[in-house]
Amino acid sequence: MAMAIRVFLIFLLSLSSTNLSYSLYEDQVGLMDWHQQYIGKVKHAVFHTQKTGRKRVLVSTEENVVASLDLRHGEIFWRHVLGTNDVINGLDIALGKYVITLSSDGSILRAWNLPDGQMVWESPLQGSKDSKSILYIPKNLKADKDDLILVLGRGCLHAVSSIDGEILWRKDFTDESIEVGHFIQSTDTIYIAGFGGSSKFHIYGLNAKNGELLKNDHAKLPCDTFGELLSVSGDKFVVLDNLRSKILTLIIKNGEISYNQNHISDLIEDSSGQAILLPSRLPELFALRINFHVLLIKVTNGGELVLVDKINNAAAVSDALSISEGQHAFAFAQHGDNKVHLFVKDVSDWNGDLLKESIVIDHQRGNIDKIFINNYVRTDRSHGFRALMAMEDHSLLLVQQGEIVWSREDGLASVIDVTTSELPVEKEGVFVAKVEQNLFEWLKGHMLKLKGTLMIASPEDVVAIQALRLRSSEKSKMTRDHNGFRKLLIVLTRAGKVFALHTGDGRVVWSILLRTLRKSEVCEYPVGLNIYQWQVPHHHALDENPSVLVVGRCGPNQAAPVVLSFIDAFTGEELNSLSLAHTVAHVIPLPYTDSTEQRLHLIIDVNQRAYLYPRTQEAIDILQREFSNVYWYSVEADIGVIRGHTLKGKCIHEVVDEYCFDFRDLWSIVFPSESEKIIATVTRKSNEVVHTQAKVMTDYDVMYKYISKNVLFVANAAPKARGEIGTATPEEAWLVIYIIDTVTGRILHRMTHHGCQGPVHAVFSENWVVYHYFNLRAHRYEMSVVEVYDQSRADSKDVWKFVLGKHNLTSPISSYYRPDIITKSQSYFFTHSVKSIEVTSTAKGITSKQLLIGTIGDQVLALDKRFLDPRRTLNPSQAEKEEGIIPLTDSLPIISQSYITHSLKVEGLRGIITVPAKLESTSLVFAYGVDLFFTQIAPSRTYDSLTEDFSYALLLLTIVALVAAIFVTWVLSERKDLQEKWR
Amino acid sequence: MEKGKGVMGLGRRWGVDFSDNSTSRDIPDPPGFSRASLDQDDSSLSRQKKDAESNWKAQKAWEVAQAPLKNLLMMGFMMWMAGSTVHLFSIGITFSALWQPISALQSVGKIFEPYKDNKVELLGPKLLFIALNLGGLALGVWKLNALGLLPTHTSDWVSSLPPAQEVEFSGGGVNLG
């Protein structure tokens, strides 16, 4: 019996000692995390479809990504994410093996190897003036056997060798004061067309071999022009006049410039709308958009305009594609009755269609923004076409033979804001049926796992186990789980589309292109701003679905009116949408909910009026009750002022609005503008849970944390040191940090870091703030921690008061009570520069915290808060060591195993959010940028649950074996006893 | 010798009672055996014997009463060996140091039962026993305190004190977008 217990104990010990490792094993990758790669909205696309080799399409996107995609499946062959300031202006293929990109306003030209994406050469192009950037790779233009690339950037024309990127010659147009619009190439002469001012047309002829100026001519136009010059063919141009009512046709014949004027009204009866020239390059043709119509207009040799076709509801027109000698095709798409009609036509032969297809495209993808076409030769030698479509929601589709071959949700590359929602509660009946159905599978899976644990699994079994773990149906179920790991991540993208992603496997559960955030006549440039949890039902309102609020604006500037959308988080349906008259400067989710658990929100407009949502009497009643306790503060970074306001009363306004409230100023903090500029502010997350207000020191002493949600961390830099690192000397750079109470305007703490400058990234949690900045004297980045304690509570130390519960430490407190604040701080060097900092959050706030640092290498590093503890000393005492205080070092360690993104990169990392799981030890982390990454982390390890790969079958088997052993040994011992007695 | 005589139990056991001489009356005594010496029991002898026994009992009771002292010293040594950090060994020792006196105190009556005699004064030994065990208990408690496992500090009472609710609410920040 005792033996059996001992065996069991040893077994238990061995079980608990497994899986104590901190980092991830190779076979654990993908178990709890997922990673999705995107490219963003496609701007340019170039097909590369040779007869041999893999067919691919090269794209550049608005997220500054250059990528090579598999034309068959849409997967990424290779991808490069350029910096945020490195906007791609042009993309093309040179020599059939290099991908050439022009970026940074035409100042950097790069060549990438086509098959594998390695950079071959890079050429910085000089220039002094901002101008249009054009990349042009002429066919058969050689200078000393080199194929030339012509680049216009920053007011200069460069001829670059495509082999090594050497600049062969350059021609500066800055002195000529013309805005270059086009290149035309004719054998060995390059013609440059452009405008000087808005009404003077210039043309230059250059020798392609050496850049020598051959010709120079100009003509004065009868009127000013609007928009860009469009080249129709080698010697013809069209441009709109400044009233957008006339089309000017410019023709160059024998070096002479002649022009024609045509009224748009001659071409179409209803010409009241605003005309726009579409930038599609079509030989002899041009496309003009007016009043939802696209006019295709042919330019004759005499400069006359002939209307070729009028397309209604046209979405997009592609560039022309040369399909054979002298034959050019182009495509356009037309929207009609739930379908998209794709037409491919021959430019010169207008009557026949080369292709006419109808495709059903999910209407949540919106309109077609861009079309790129490519042809292939069918077996019967006719031409087939495939079209790549960039949609309004930034997704990318490849259409061939009337079918969508593949699609990519590239809108997810531009996530603006994220919130989460719980999944529906599990219905019991469904669950049981499912288990019975899969009982055999379940048993088989566990037998396999058991084999793995006992190390008797064959290699095939190991593969099967891994596959089983990765596609475990448990993690991707559409119901709430016990541990709270399964949630919906609701993301708002720049395209105005809202996606719900499942945390288990990252799939899109639903998506909706918001009507309010689509381009329309009333709302020309809508932008999504933020997404909030509108209704989080629990307890009595459980039968209602949760919903989210999306706040947007009808234009890029702050004076634009606000649009609101309410979306059901389970179904993705838009419940309601409002286009309002007022503007939005802040959205404040109040800590009050109404009877249906809708959260009260105050939307504050630029005139400092607050509008209450939801617009119900109940909401007003709730707000009236808490009227004197609602404050708000505004940070005016450009003038260096922080103001505090409180609610005053109903609006005094011409239009009576019950839900409108006025404010009165309470306090203001004016920073001296000659010495301080606000560069960063950060506050605590409103939903953060703090477990305790006391911090126990090593000598049983207690410090009371100053835990208030109404605190703001402000970092101010010296005006001279606001720029890039290296522009200011250490003497003229300093960083002043403040911790401010936002109710009373009291400055709780102020500290100056001399010789330091921004950029400052900070995170505020509980009673501490951690911030990251650059130390100019040490030439290193630093991180500092400031912990704030409430000294006025420290005198309540009588044990008996606590034993009897006679203390007032948990009674509600007011900010006006003026606590006595003390702070502790410490600074450390940190090797990386940082893109963003977050902190883990758990359900009850008991688990220790980790800082999640988005590094410049687009990875996420988890750093224990213990490393940023101001109590660290060089030689901690035994007791301090036992408490977990780490000896002080001058720099923070970067342990490569603590990258939670392990070997992956979240390209273009912009933000990290953490969400608590129901399990206290675990926090869910979502990092977004061009890529998306999700994982679960347990800062103090999973102390409250068994690991995912725990073998229940083994446990069961052991218990059965033990019971059997107990029974057998009991029988044996009985028998032995009997024999003993008979002796 | 007869089988079946004086059988006890459930038939599993058997025995012969040699002291029972009722059945062997008719058999002559073996030579040298005098039946009379058995019956001869001197009363004075028995009193002497009883005195000696009660003396012995009292002595034994005092011995038992002093036994925890050894235990105490032993425990003290063990505690010193265990050190002042909290781990499995020190906690085990401390709890056994607490448990032993408590269980001993619970069974004071039982321990001194064999020495119960109306002639023996058991109060003294009992008091000593209790005192020593209380001493042991005190040692255990002291050790517990030394390990920091007694809630005698403020920190033990406030460590899970939830943060106070705030009356005011403030939101805002830099203007959106």
Side-chain angles (χ1 to χ4, degrees):
Chain A
M1 189 68 203
M3 189 62 204
I5 290 169
R6 218 164 296 157
V7 167
F8 187 67
L9 275 179
I10 288 167
F11 169 72
L12 270 186
L13 265 177
S14 67
L15 260 188
S16 59
S17 63
T18 55
N19 286 306
L20 279 185
S21 95
Y22 181 69
S23 53
L24 215 60
Y25 285 110
E26 197 181 351
D27 64 339
Q28 288 173 320
V29 169
L31 220 56
M32 293 179 300
D33 53 319
W34 46 263
H35 180 234
Q36 294 175 349
Q37 293 187 315
Y38 293 105
I39 53 173
K41 187 183 183 185
V42 169
K43 283 200 291 196
H44 313 279
V46 180
F47 289 89
H48 186 254
T49 49
Q50 287 162 321
K51 290 218 173 62
T52 54
R54 290 191 282 193
K55 293 185 171 35
R56 62 189 85 214
V57 57
L58 296 145
V59 292
S60 71
T61 71
E62 286 180 358
E63 299 297 321
N64 307 340
V65 176
V66 192
S68 166
L69 303 179
D70 184 350
L71 207 50
R72 202 154 294 185
H73 307 290
E75 284 152 12
I76 298 170
F77 279 141
W78 54 262
R79 179 180 66 153
H80 292 287
V81 182
L82 309 184
T84 39
N85 300 324
D86 205 2
V87 178
I88 301 169
N89 309 109
L91 173 88
D92 212 338
I93 295 178
L95 301 173
K97 59 178 180 179
Y98 293 157
V99 181
I100 310 289
T101 58
L102 177 69
S103 58
S104 289
D105 295 327
S107 59
I108 301 173
L109 190 69
R110 293 189 181 96
W112 316 88
N113 194 16
L114 184 60
D116 57 5
Q118 303 264 10
M119 187 154 80
V120 184
W121 50 258
E122 183 185 72
S123 229
L125 306 175
Q126 307 295 324
S128 51
K129 201 179 83 181
D130 284 347
S131 75
K132 203 174 150 186
S133 309
I134 304 170
L135 171 69
Y136 180 58
I137 301 181
K139 306 263 183 306
N140 309 317
L141 182 64
K142 284 185 194 277
D144 301 336
K145 291 179 193 166
D146 260 0
D147 279 1
L148 280 185
I149 299 171
L150 294 176
V151 176
L152 179 78
R154 307 194 70 81
C156 271
L157 177 68
H158 303 263
V160 183
S161 158
S162 58
I163 292 168
D164 53 5
E166 196 193 335
I167 298 167
L168 299 175
W169 53 262
R170 61 195 289 262
K171 169 82 183 141
D172 202 336
F173 285 100
T174 36
D175 303 334
E176 321 281 342
S177 71
I178 68 154
E179 186 67 38
V180 176
H182 267 282
F183 299 141
I184 316 132
Q185 176 217 348
S186 66
T187 55
D188 280 348
T189 314
I190 302 159
Y191 289 98
I192 314 289
F195 283 105
S198 65
S199 66
K200 215 166 175 193
F201 183 69
H202 288 261
I203 187 126
Y204 295 85
L206 300 176
N207 187 337
K209 297 230 184 323
N210 50 20
E212 199 186 321
L213 186 65
L214 302 173
K215 275 178 245 173
N216 180 3
D217 198 3
H218 64 84
K220 180 95 178 70
L221 299 182
C223 51
D224 283 353
T225 56
F226 170 83
E228 302 220 329
L229 186 68
L230 187 72
S231 162
V232 175
S233 63
D235 51 0
K236 284 176 243 157
F237 298 92
V238 287
V239 71
L240 286 172
D241 79 329
N242 57 344
L243 298 171
R244 294 159 89 173
S245 63
K246 277 188 286 187
I247 301 168
L248 288 171
T249 318
L250 300 153
I251 298 172
I252 304 147
K253 211 170 268 176
N254 309 324
E256 297 280 309
I257 305 168
S258 60
Y259 59 81
N260 265 339
Q261 295 184 56
N262 290 287
H263 283 272
I264 294 174
S265 54
D266 296 343
L267 299 164
I268 180 172
E269 300 91 58
D270 175 28
S271 63
S272 55
Q274 298 275 339
I276 298 167
L277 282 176
L278 294 181
S280 299
R281 286 189 187 182
L282 308 168
E284 310 292 325
L285 279 177
F286 68 95
L288 181 88
R289 184 190 289 275
I290 186 165
N291 293 345
F292 303 109
H293 307 298
V294 169
L295 307 182
L296 287 164
I297 300 161
K298 193 179 177 88
V299 185
T300 64
N301 284 336
E304 296 301 316
L305 301 183
V306 180
L307 179 66
V308 178
D309 200 359
K310 190 172 111 180
I311 311 161
N312 297 329
N313 296 322
V317 182
S318 78
D319 281 353
L321 171 80
S322 168
I323 48 172
S324 61
E325 198 62 47
Q327 198 183 8
H328 294 271
F330 79 104
F332 63 87
Q334 200 176 0
H335 285 281
D337 50 304
N338 297 327
K339 277 188 176 176
V340 171
H341 304 289
L342 177 72
F343 296 90
V344 179
K345 286 191 187 247
D346 192 327
V347 171
S348 45
D349 174 24
W350 193 251
N351 297 323
D353 290 326
L354 289 172
L355 184 80
K356 187 181 173 188
E357 281 170 357
S358 296
I359 313 127
V360 181
I361 295 178
D362 182 9
H363 65 274
Q364 297 294 3
R365 293 195 189 275
N367 295 333
I368 299 168
D369 268 10
K370 282 201 167 98
I371 291 190
F372 307 93
I373 56 163
N374 176 237
N375 68 318
Y376 58 92
V377 181
R378 293 207 191 99
T379 41
D380 61 347
R381 302 215 158 187
S382 63
H383 289 287
F385 293 91
R386 50 173 88 90
L388 192 71
M389 298 180 179
M391 308 295 291
E392 194 182 355
D393 71 339
H394 297 186
S395 62
L396 190 66
L397 309 176
L398 184 80
V399 172
Q400 194 171 335
Q401 292 170 344
E403 298 273 338
I404 297 171
V405 183
W406 50 260
S407 63
R408 294 180 56 87
E409 288 288 359
D410 278 308
L412 286 170
S414 53
V415 173
I416 298 173
D417 198 11
V418 187
T419 188
T420 55
S421 164
E422 294 289 341
L423 281 161
V425 185
E426 201 151 36
K427 301 272 187 305
E428 268 182 32
V430 182
F431 177 63
V432 173
K434 217 167 184 178
V435 162
E436 278 167 357
Q437 192 189 340
N438 296 331
L439 195 64
F440 181 67
E441 288 290 308
W442 183 86
L443 217 74
K444 214 167 83 180
H446 273 294
M447 283 319 290
L448 268 177
K449 267 190 199 174
L450 181 65
K451 266 182 164 178
T453 318
L454 299 176
M455 298 191 185
I456 50 169
S458 62
E460 297 93 68
D461 286 346
V462 172
V463 172
I465 293 167
Q466 185 63 8
L468 205 74
R469 289 165 76 190
L470 285 181
R471 61 175 168 78
S472 145
S473 61
E474 188 66 23
K475 67 177 185 184
S476 55
K477 266 204 273 188
M478 274 303 298
T479 49
R480 216 172 280 191
D481 65 332
H482 185 68
N483 292 333
F485 293 161
R486 294 200 296 262
K487 283 183 200 298
L488 287 178
L489 292 166
I490 300 179
V491 300
L492 173 67
T493 64
R494 200 169 295 147
K497 197 171 188 180
V498 178
F499 291 88
L501 306 176
H502 195 288
T503 56
D505 51 4
R507 71 177 189 277
V508 175
V509 176
W510 53 258
S511 63
I512 178 171
L513 187 63
L514 290 178
R515 208 159 34 80
T516 48
L517 293 181
R518 284 181 77 172
K519 235 182 223 184
S520 64
E521 275 168 77
V522 284
C523 199
E524 193 124 19
Y525 297 103
V527 281
L529 292 175
N530 281 101
I531 187 161
Y532 299 91
Q533 290 185 337
W534 176 253
Q535 193 178 15
V536 187
H538 45 300
H539 306 312
H540 58 274
L542 247 186
D543 46 333
E544 296 206 30
N545 288 0
S547 53
V548 292
L549 165 69
V550 178
V551 179
R553 194 188 271 156
C554 254
N557 61 336
Q558 298 209 343
V562 62
V563 287
L564 304 179
S565 282
F566 302 89
I567 304 166
D568 188 317
F570 286 173
T571 61
E573 278 164 27
E574 197 172 22
L575 301 170
N576 191 9
S577 68
L578 302 168
S579 291
L580 301 159
H582 62 82
T583 55
V584 55
H586 301 278
V587 180
I588 302 175
L590 296 175
Y592 319 114
T593 53
D594 69 4
S595 58
T596 55
E597 306 231 9
Q598 288 184 354
R599 188 161 293 279
L600 269 60
H601 284 69
L602 280 181
I603 295 183
I604 293 162
D605 73 355
V606 287
N607 304 321
Q608 306 212 333
R609 283 200 186 91
Y611 296 87
L612 178 69
Y613 293 88
R615 292 168 85 90
T616 57
Q617 188 56 44
E618 188 192 359
I620 288 187
D621 293 342
I622 294 168
L623 187 67
Q624 291 287 5
R625 218 177 302 142
E626 301 286 346
F627 205 73
S628 58
N629 292 331
V630 176
Y631 297 79
W632 78 277
Y633 64 93
S634 54
V635 180
E636 286 150 53
D638 41 346
I639 54 168
V641 180
I642 300 176
R643 276 183 232 278
H645 319 264
T646 183
L647 282 173
K648 190 170 75 180
K650 292 257 163 82
C651 284
I652 305 149
H653 201 252
E654 308 87 68
V655 190
V656 179
D657 186 355
E658 256 195 298
Y659 304 96
C660 170
F661 296 91
D662 263 338
F663 278 103
R664 116 183 109 81
D665 285 5
L666 268 188
W667 51 265
S668 61
I669 298 170
V670 182
F671 296 110
S673 60
E674 66 277 5
S675 64
E676 291 179 28
K677 284 269 180 227
I678 300 173
I679 53 167
T681 60
V682 73
T683 182
R684 275 183 63 195
K685 270 190 284 182
S686 60
N687 54 357
E688 190 187 43
V689 182
V690 181
H691 174 60
T692 173
Q693 57 173 299
K695 173 144 185 157
V696 180
M697 303 289 158
T698 6
D699 48 354
Y700 304 109
D701 203 4
V702 183
M703 297 274 281
Y704 291 91
K705 299 174 188 171
Y706 181 72
I707 295 167
S708 168
K709 291 233 157 106
N710 307 326
V711 281
L712 177 73
F713 167 82
V714 182
N716 290 355
K720 277 191 178 171
R722 284 182 73 196
E724 301 262 304
I725 292 161
T727 51
T729 60
E731 286 71 34
E732 55 192 17
W734 54 84
L735 200 69
V736 192
I737 63 119
Y738 294 85
I739 294 173
I740 297 167
D741 185 309
T742 54
V743 171
T744 58
R746 184 181 163 212
I747 294 172
L748 301 172
H749 181 62
R750 179 185 190 273
M751 189 159 65
T752 310
H753 295 275
H754 290 286
C756 294
Q757 71 163 96
V760 171
H761 297 276
V763 63
F764 208 137
S765 168
E766 292 195 10
N767 67 325
W768 50 264
V769 59
V770 169
Y771 50 100
H772 177 270
Y773 54 90
F774 191 76
N775 187 332
L776 286 165
R777 280 184 218 280
H779 303 286
R780 285 211 257 184
Y781 283 100
E782 271 188 2
M783 271 173 105
S784 285
V785 57
V786 179
E787 292 190 352
V788 188
Y789 293 97
D790 185 348
Q791 195 62 25
S792 52
R793 300 190 151 219
D795 48 348
S796 52
K797 277 189 179 152
D798 190 356
V799 181
W800 287 108
K801 265 190 186 169
F802 291 105
V803 176
L804 301 170
K806 289 202 168 148
H807 61 88
N808 58 356
L809 290 176
T810 48
S811 50
I813 53 159
S814 162
S815 288
Y816 290 104
Y817 135 80
R818 287 189 74 82
D820 192 6
I821 296 293
I822 60 160
T823 57
K824 293 181 168 213
S825 62
Q826 218 167 51
S827 299
Y828 320 87
F829 291 124
F830 187 70
T831 320
H832 285 307
S833 60
V834 156
K835 282 189 169 179
S836 85
I837 307 185
E838 256 296 326
V839 67
T840 56
S841 55
T842 52
K844 294 194 172 64
I846 299 169
T847 309
S848 62
K849 304 239 170 200
Q850 274 184 343
L851 292 168
L852 302 175
I853 299 168
T855 64
I856 197 75
D858 290 328
Q859 294 205 302
V860 181
L861 177 76
L863 185 70
D864 257 6
K865 169 68 177 58
R866 291 191 301 145
F867 287 109
L868 287 139
D869 186 339
R871 290 159 66 216
R872 281 175 74 182
T873 52
L874 276 176
N875 292 306
S877 66
Q878 187 61 34
E880 280 176 331
K881 268 187 202 159
E882 271 167 32
E883 205 199 309
I885 289 182
I886 303 161
L888 182 63
T889 48
D890 62 346
S891 59
L892 296 171
I894 292 170
I895 306 153
S896 46
Q897 286 100 314
S898 53
Y899 281 102
I900 61 166
T901 44
H902 40 92
S903 63
L904 303 169
K905 273 175 95 178
V906 188
E907 292 281 6
L909 182 71
R910 279 198 306 272
I912 305 166
I913 66 151
T914 61
V915 191
K918 225 183 264 172
L919 203 64
E920 169 56 28
S921 66
T922 311
S923 182
L924 311 178
V925 180
F926 180 60
Y928 60 90
V930 175
D931 292 351
L932 305 180
F933 179 78
F934 173 86
T935 191
Q936 296 168 12
I937 59 166
S940 311
R941 295 176 192 166
T942 47
Y943 54 82
D944 49 3
S945 69
L946 293 167
T947 50
E948 186 267 346
D949 51 353
F950 180 80
S951 174
Y952 290 93
L954 186 63
L955 181 69
L956 216 71
L957 204 81
T958 317
I959 290 171
V960 169
L962 281 177
V963 168
I966 288 166
F967 195 71
V968 168
T969 44
W970 180 68
V971 169
L972 284 178
S973 86
E974 284 291 305
R975 198 177 293 168
K976 204 178 172 191
D977 249 8
L978 190 64
Q979 271 170 4
E980 199 75 19
K981 280 164 187 167
W982 271 110
R983 198 167 287 159
Chain B
M1 274 205 220
E2 290 142 339
K3 252 187 172 181
K5 275 264 171 184
V7 170
M8 292 148 74
L10 292 163
R12 278 194 193 166
R13 292 183 185 179
W14 57 272
V16 181
D17 194 354
F18 293 103
S19 60
D20 182 14
N21 43 21
S22 58
T23 51
S24 54
R25 273 288 144 110
D26 42 343
I27 301 165
D29 285 334
F33 177 78
S34 89
R35 195 171 292 270
S37 63
L38 256 176
D39 304 326
Q40 247 177 32
D41 210 342
D42 202 346
S43 62
S44 66
L45 195 75
S46 80
R47 179 159 302 124
Q48 215 171 16
K49 220 174 171 179
K50 257 185 188 162
D51 272 355
E53 197 184 289
S54 64
N55 267 345
W56 176 83
K57 270 188 180 166
Q59 203 187 336
K60 217 63 188 154
W62 279 109
E63 252 172 48
V64 167
Q66 280 165 9
L69 187 66
K70 270 186 228 158
N71 225 340
L72 209 69
L73 292 175
M74 180 73 182
M75 221 64 226
F77 178 69
M78 293 271 274
M79 280 173 186
W80 178 70
M81 289 289 286
S84 62
T85 48
V86 180
H87 50 77
L88 200 67
F89 189 57
S90 64
I91 287 179
I93 286 188
T94 312
F95 277 93
S96 79
L98 285 171
W99 179 245
Q100 268 184 9
I102 290 171
S103 64
L105 286 175
Q106 274 176 342
S107 55
V108 171
K110 212 182 259 173
I111 288 168
F112 285 94
E113 196 150 20
Y115 319 112
K116 212 173 175 183
D117 206 332
N118 35 14
K119 282 191 187 146
V120 182
E121 186 57 62
L122 276 178
L123 189 68
K126 268 189 185 170
L127 278 179
L128 181 66
F129 183 81
I130 289 169
L132 282 175
N133 270 316
L134 282 177
L137 197 67
L139 192 70
V141 170
W142 172 79
K143 183 70 191 173
L144 206 61
N145 192 27
L147 287 177
L149 297 177
L150 279 190
T152 51
H153 295 275
T154 329
S155 54
D156 302 317
W157 295 90
V158 297
S159 59
S160 60
L161 210 62
Q165 226 184 342
E166 280 180 285
V167 177
E168 292 94 354
F169 169 80
S170 173
V174 185
N175 280 7
L176 284 177

